[in-house]
Amino acid sequence: MKNPIDFSFIFNKLLKNSSCIEDFIVHEVLHILLDSEEFTSKAYFDSKSIHLKAPSLIHKLPCGSEHITRQYMLGSMDTPEGSYEDNARVMHLILDQLGYITKEKRQKLSTEKFVCWLGDQLTMNRIRGIFYFWCQDSNSFDRGDGSIAVFGWMHMCMAWENGLHKQYLDSEKGYGLQRAFILLNRWDLVNSSTKGSFHEQFPCTLWQVMEAHIHALWIDVGGVAKLEDLRCCNGGEQQKMQPDQELIQVIMFLCDVLHYFVLTRGMKHGDVDLMEAMLPFALLRFIGGRNSHYTGEILELMQGLAKEWPEDLANFVREHCWLMNTSGKPDEFIEADRIMEEGIKDIKVTHPSKGPKIDWKYLKKLHPIIPLIRIIAEHVEHEFQTFTRYKKHTTPHDIKGIHLLQKTFTSSEANLHKYIPN
């Protein structure tokens, strides 16, 4: 409280990080052209140009077989989480499962270590509330002095997606996201939801809308009839093309979604410094969207990283609490809270336990071996090629949708990418 971050600190962070993030945004726009079916970068004469290379990652987490994250699930507990008292009980039971049962072990924990608690925003809010209620207790363990609350980036991205959905939904007759959902026959995306597959389908559809806009802009700025005509330009010319007179709504939409996808791509490749660089931009997004919960969470994180935590603790939070890698591959980093949610899905959906003799004692014994079951299942899938995933945002089926959106955006009725006076 005596040394808080202020507006000038946040603004200086924005200025410092802007040029770096702009490089990633420029590459994202180039990436969309070079990977398009019409342009086909493999046939492009200047595909090796230094202008078309991706910017170097700022701080990439190590990967490889020796850096695979191993998950140790705790036994499920028959404990509600409806009140602060319930959540406090859950925290104590978790420490019990980790072996901190005796007074001596808890004393040693509270005087020698920090414990990072990770989860969604509601969980973090409850944990901070518990610390507030405990602050007058007589010893450091009871006060929770060594406990750090860290929000999960997957849940933060979900809140970001909800903000984009709310801001750009528009009406059926407009040219916002709702029109795109109707054209692509994705009516279930018209209303945002925390349940079901909304937060799996919405980012993919958002990417298609962005890709359609950027394809149309490349054609407009390049003064050509189709994307493949741009292959006559060299890499330096491709990188310098900049649209400048489009409608402000399209410009604002593309700026916002490009920031979002730069962040998600950075997370996928394990670039924790890029994630940290995006925090001021995310902060302004949540302030503008009146999301007070994640405004507070980001301020708390920035305060901890910049002002409060020792350097080794700040590095531990960056390198071990934000992302995990269960495969060891360089482009398969996953948000830590997504791994937690996948564990919950395994418990409730993939490997549900049923029968008359199933009780909490049995579940507490069974659930810790679910990560092993998952590893065996993935090994079988890999060996027999029973399941494949696309490596790109778009699939052959999606390309038809992008063409449809592109045609709609560039129609004489819409004319979204032309400057029209008055």
Side-chain angles (χ1 to χ4, degrees):
M1 294 175 66
K2 294 180 180 178
N3 186 25
I5 57 174
D6 54 15
F7 174 76
S8 62
F9 174 87
I10 296 168
F11 187 70
N12 288 331
K13 282 282 186 183
L14 280 166
L15 292 178
K16 181 180 177 181
N17 300 340
S18 289
S19 60
C20 166
I21 291 173
E22 186 176 339
D23 290 341
F24 284 95
I25 288 177
V26 169
H27 178 72
E28 204 71 54
V29 175
L30 285 167
H31 181 74
I32 288 171
L33 171 67
L34 299 174
D35 285 357
S36 66
E37 187 181 44
E38 301 96 312
F39 189 88
T40 54
S41 60
K42 291 181 181 178
Y44 179 45
F45 77 94
D46 204 19
S47 60
K48 302 293 185 181
S49 169
I50 59 171
H51 298 285
L52 305 183
K53 288 184 177 180
S56 300
L57 297 175
I58 311 172
H59 178 186
K60 181 177 173 59
L61 293 178
C63 54
S65 58
E66 67 275 19
H67 296 287
I68 292 176
T69 303
R70 287 174 175 81
Q71 183 182 13
Y72 297 88
M73 286 178 64
L74 301 177
S76 297
M77 298 171 287
D78 184 17
T79 309
E81 294 180 85
S83 66
Y84 284 112
E85 186 178 349
D86 290 337
N87 280 267
R89 190 179 298 112
V90 169
M91 293 174 72
H92 280 295
L93 290 173
I94 287 174
L95 291 175
D96 287 348
Q97 286 200 44
L98 292 174
Y100 296 100
I101 301 175
T102 65
K103 180 180 178 181
E104 292 73 21
K105 287 186 176 181
R106 292 190 170 189
Q107 182 179 4
K108 188 173 183 180
L109 173 68
S110 62
T111 55
E112 295 182 4
K113 294 183 183 295
F114 284 101
V115 179
C116 295
W117 299 89
L118 178 74
D120 59 18
Q121 192 279 326
L122 178 60
T123 303
M124 297 302 99
N125 188 55
R126 293 274 171 83
I127 289 177
R128 290 198 184 93
I130 291 169
F131 296 160
Y132 177 78
F133 293 133
W134 287 353
C135 68
Q136 298 295 327
D137 283 11
S138 60
N139 63 74
S140 60
F141 179 83
D142 289 339
R143 289 193 300 269
D145 289 346
S147 297
I148 305 295
V150 183
F151 70 81
W153 285 77
M154 183 198 79
H155 286 90
M156 190 271 280
C157 286
M158 289 170 65
W160 196 324
E161 291 161 16
N162 288 337
L164 291 172
H165 184 277
K166 181 180 178 181
Q167 183 176 355
Y168 294 109
L169 183 63
D170 205 357
S171 64
E172 293 183 27
K173 295 182 179 180
Y175 288 92
L177 291 176
Q178 187 166 177
R179 180 74 168 266
F181 297 154
I182 294 169
L183 289 171
L184 298 174
N185 196 27
R186 294 179 184 172
W187 292 87
D188 53 335
L189 296 181
V190 172
N191 297 311
S192 62
S193 174
T194 56
K195 298 180 179 179
S197 59
F198 176 84
H199 285 286
E200 292 178 10
Q201 294 186 30
F202 179 68
C204 298
T205 306
L206 192 65
W207 178 273
Q208 286 180 265
V209 176
M210 180 186 73
E211 198 164 343
H213 273 298
I214 291 177
H215 283 181
L217 285 166
W218 275 112
I219 291 172
D220 183 48
V221 174
V224 295
K226 46 192 176 180
L227 288 176
E228 62 186 52
D229 296 336
L230 289 169
R231 281 187 275 180
C232 62
C233 302
N234 64 43
E237 292 172 316
Q238 302 284 19
Q239 206 219 32
K240 289 177 184 177
M241 289 186 182
Q242 299 255 350
D244 57 1
Q245 288 188 319
E246 293 71 35
L247 293 179
I248 191 66
Q249 183 74 2
V250 176
I251 295 173
M252 187 164 63
F253 170 77
L254 290 175
C255 285
D256 286 346
V257 296
L258 281 164
H259 273 103
Y260 168 80
F261 283 115
V262 164
L263 172 61
T264 56
R265 191 181 289 273
M267 291 193 297
K268 181 181 177 181
H269 289 86
D271 193 343
V272 290
D273 275 12
L274 178 58
M275 293 168 66
E276 187 174 354
M278 288 297 298
L279 286 173
F281 297 90
L283 176 64
L284 295 187
R285 164 121 221 116
F286 289 125
I287 292 173
R290 298 182 180 179
N291 187 326
S292 59
H293 295 307
Y294 273 99
T295 297
E297 289 297 333
I298 292 176
L299 285 170
E300 289 278 2
L301 180 59
M302 293 177 70
Q303 173 76 16
L305 292 171
K307 302 285 187 177
E308 292 185 10
W309 299 337
E311 188 62 29
D312 55 347
L313 174 59
N315 287 332
F316 180 84
V317 170
R318 292 186 189 100
E319 297 176 3
H320 297 284
C321 296
W322 292 353
L323 300 172
M324 309 289 172
N325 192 326
T326 56
S327 70
K329 296 180 180 178
D331 60 347
E332 292 191 4
F333 285 89
I334 308 171
E335 307 95 300
D337 51 330
R338 186 180 297 275
I339 292 180
M340 294 162 63
E341 293 294 335
E342 288 176 354
I344 295 170
K345 181 182 176 182
D346 283 341
I347 289 172
K348 293 183 176 181
V349 181
T350 313
H351 308 292
S353 300
K354 299 178 181 179
K357 295 186 178 180
I358 301 299
D359 56 15
W360 282 102
K361 183 178 179 181
Y362 175 80
L363 294 178
K364 188 173 182 179
K365 182 179 179 181
L366 172 68
H367 290 160
I369 68 168
I370 281 181
L372 178 61
I373 296 173
R374 188 189 303 143
I375 290 170
I376 294 171
E378 290 174 354
H379 175 72
V380 172
E381 287 175 357
H382 175 75
E383 290 298 315
F384 292 95
Q385 298 294 306
T386 57
F387 182 70
T388 58
R389 290 182 177 89
Y390 287 103
K391 294 297 184 182
K392 296 182 180 179
H393 282 282
T394 50
T395 68
H397 174 74
D398 294 332
I399 292 172
K400 294 181 181 179
I402 293 170
H403 288 164
L404 176 61
L405 291 172
Q406 185 178 333
K407 185 177 179 180
T408 303
F409 296 154
T410 55
S411 65
S412 57
E413 178 189 353
N415 214 12
L416 294 183
H417 306 116
K418 297 287 186 181
Y419 173 67
I420 302 174
N422 303 316

mmCIF file of all heavy atoms in Angstrom, residues 23 74 169 200 215 243 251 289 339 379 398 401 411:
data_model
loop_
_atom_site.group_PDB
_atom_site.id
_atom_site.type_symbol
_atom_site.label_atom_id
_atom_site.label_comp_id
_atom_site.label_asym_id
_atom_site.label_seq_id
_atom_site.Cartn_x
_atom_site.Cartn_y
_atom_site.Cartn_z
ATOM 1 N N ASP A 23 5.419 -5.618 -33.640
ATOM 2 C CA ASP A 23 6.143 -6.549 -34.514
ATOM 3 C C ASP A 23 5.401 -7.886 -34.625
ATOM 4 O O ASP A 23 5.312 -8.470 -35.704
ATOM 5 C CB ASP A 23 7.557 -6.788 -33.967
ATOM 6 C CG ASP A 23 8.448 -5.569 -34.093
ATOM 7 O OD1 ASP A 23 8.124 -4.676 -34.900
ATOM 8 O OD2 ASP A 23 9.463 -5.500 -33.373
ATOM 9 N N LEU A 74 -4.778 -34.400 -6.764
ATOM 10 C CA LEU A 74 -5.126 -34.753 -5.389
ATOM 11 C C LEU A 74 -6.418 -35.563 -5.383
ATOM 12 O O LEU A 74 -7.184 -35.553 -6.344
ATOM 13 C CB LEU A 74 -5.293 -33.495 -4.549
ATOM 14 C CG LEU A 74 -4.066 -32.578 -4.459
ATOM 15 C CD1 LEU A 74 -4.392 -31.339 -3.656
ATOM 16 C CD2 LEU A 74 -2.881 -33.314 -3.851
ATOM 17 N N LEU A 169 -20.742 -7.726 -31.165
ATOM 18 C CA LEU A 169 -21.832 -8.601 -31.600
ATOM 19 C C LEU A 169 -22.699 -7.925 -32.654
ATOM 20 O O LEU A 169 -23.003 -8.529 -33.694
ATOM 21 C CB LEU A 169 -22.684 -9.000 -30.385
ATOM 22 C CG LEU A 169 -23.819 -9.970 -30.681
ATOM 23 C CD1 LEU A 169 -23.278 -11.298 -31.195
ATOM 24 C CD2 LEU A 169 -24.689 -10.203 -29.443
ATOM 25 N N GLU A 200 -14.661 -22.812 -26.897
ATOM 26 C CA GLU A 200 -13.844 -23.546 -27.849
ATOM 27 C C GLU A 200 -14.157 -23.074 -29.268
ATOM 28 O O GLU A 200 -13.260 -22.912 -30.098
ATOM 29 C CB GLU A 200 -14.107 -25.052 -27.731
ATOM 30 C CG GLU A 200 -13.622 -25.653 -26.419
ATOM 31 C CD GLU A 200 -13.935 -27.137 -26.322
ATOM 32 O OE1 GLU A 200 -14.343 -27.727 -27.345
ATOM 33 O OE2 GLU A 200 -13.785 -27.706 -25.232
ATOM 34 N N HIS A 215 -7.830 -10.707 -45.427
ATOM 35 C CA HIS A 215 -7.733 -11.080 -46.849
ATOM 36 C C HIS A 215 -8.274 -9.959 -47.739
ATOM 37 O O HIS A 215 -7.660 -9.581 -48.746
ATOM 38 C CB HIS A 215 -8.529 -12.360 -47.103
ATOM 39 C CG HIS A 215 -7.836 -13.598 -46.642
ATOM 40 N ND1 HIS A 215 -8.373 -14.854 -46.793
ATOM 41 C CD2 HIS A 215 -6.642 -13.789 -46.024
ATOM 42 C CE1 HIS A 215 -7.552 -15.754 -46.298
ATOM 43 N NE2 HIS A 215 -6.495 -15.132 -45.809
ATOM 44 N N PRO A 243 -2.875 -0.671 -44.606
ATOM 45 C CA PRO A 243 -4.155 -0.028 -44.886
ATOM 46 C C PRO A 243 -4.289 1.253 -44.060
ATOM 47 O O PRO A 243 -3.845 1.303 -42.921
ATOM 48 C CB PRO A 243 -5.181 -1.069 -44.452
ATOM 49 C CG PRO A 243 -4.469 -1.928 -43.476
ATOM 50 C CD PRO A 243 -3.035 -1.953 -43.891
ATOM 51 N N ILE A 251 -11.060 -1.122 -38.183
ATOM 52 C CA ILE A 251 -9.713 -0.926 -37.645
ATOM 53 C C ILE A 251 -9.679 -1.298 -36.164
ATOM 54 O O ILE A 251 -8.795 -2.032 -35.709
ATOM 55 C CB ILE A 251 -9.264 0.541 -37.818
ATOM 56 C CG1 ILE A 251 -9.140 0.888 -39.305
ATOM 57 C CG2 ILE A 251 -7.941 0.785 -37.104
ATOM 58 C CD1 ILE A 251 -8.874 2.350 -39.562
ATOM 59 N N GLY A 289 -14.093 -2.289 -20.665
ATOM 60 C CA GLY A 289 -15.245 -3.186 -20.678
ATOM 61 C C GLY A 289 -15.941 -3.283 -19.344
ATOM 62 O O GLY A 289 -16.868 -4.082 -19.175
ATOM 63 N N ILE A 339 -5.164 -27.090 -17.661
ATOM 64 C CA ILE A 339 -4.845 -28.456 -17.242
ATOM 65 C C ILE A 339 -5.721 -28.857 -16.058
ATOM 66 O O ILE A 339 -6.211 -29.988 -15.972
ATOM 67 C CB ILE A 339 -3.351 -28.570 -16.884
ATOM 68 C CG1 ILE A 339 -2.503 -28.408 -18.150
ATOM 69 C CG2 ILE A 339 -3.039 -29.902 -16.213
ATOM 70 C CD1 ILE A 339 -1.018 -28.503 -17.940
ATOM 71 N N HIS A 379 -0.846 -42.206 -25.591
ATOM 72 C CA HIS A 379 0.167 -43.064 -26.206
ATOM 73 C C HIS A 379 -0.480 -44.010 -27.228
ATOM 74 O O HIS A 379 0.035 -44.189 -28.333
ATOM 75 C CB HIS A 379 0.898 -43.869 -25.134
ATOM 76 C CG HIS A 379 1.871 -44.866 -25.680
ATOM 77 N ND1 HIS A 379 3.063 -44.486 -26.260
ATOM 78 C CD2 HIS A 379 1.828 -46.227 -25.770
ATOM 79 C CE1 HIS A 379 3.723 -45.566 -26.661
ATOM 80 N NE2 HIS A 379 2.978 -46.637 -26.373
ATOM 81 N N ASP A 398 -13.323 -24.713 -42.910
ATOM 82 C CA ASP A 398 -13.410 -23.311 -42.510
ATOM 83 C C ASP A 398 -13.118 -22.354 -43.659
ATOM 84 O O ASP A 398 -13.610 -21.219 -43.667
ATOM 85 C CB ASP A 398 -12.423 -23.022 -41.368
ATOM 86 C CG ASP A 398 -12.784 -23.764 -40.100
ATOM 87 O OD1 ASP A 398 -13.967 -24.039 -39.903
ATOM 88 O OD2 ASP A 398 -11.864 -24.059 -39.317
ATOM 89 N N GLY A 401 -16.061 -20.897 -45.274
ATOM 90 C CA GLY A 401 -16.663 -19.859 -44.457
ATOM 91 C C GLY A 401 -15.925 -18.535 -44.579
ATOM 92 O O GLY A 401 -16.548 -17.469 -44.636
ATOM 93 N N SER A 411 -18.736 -6.696 -50.480
ATOM 94 C CA SER A 411 -19.857 -6.445 -51.382
ATOM 95 C C SER A 411 -20.126 -4.950 -51.472
ATOM 96 O O SER A 411 -19.767 -4.166 -50.586
ATOM 97 C CB SER A 411 -21.118 -7.167 -50.888
ATOM 98 O OG SER A 411 -21.540 -6.633 -49.646
#
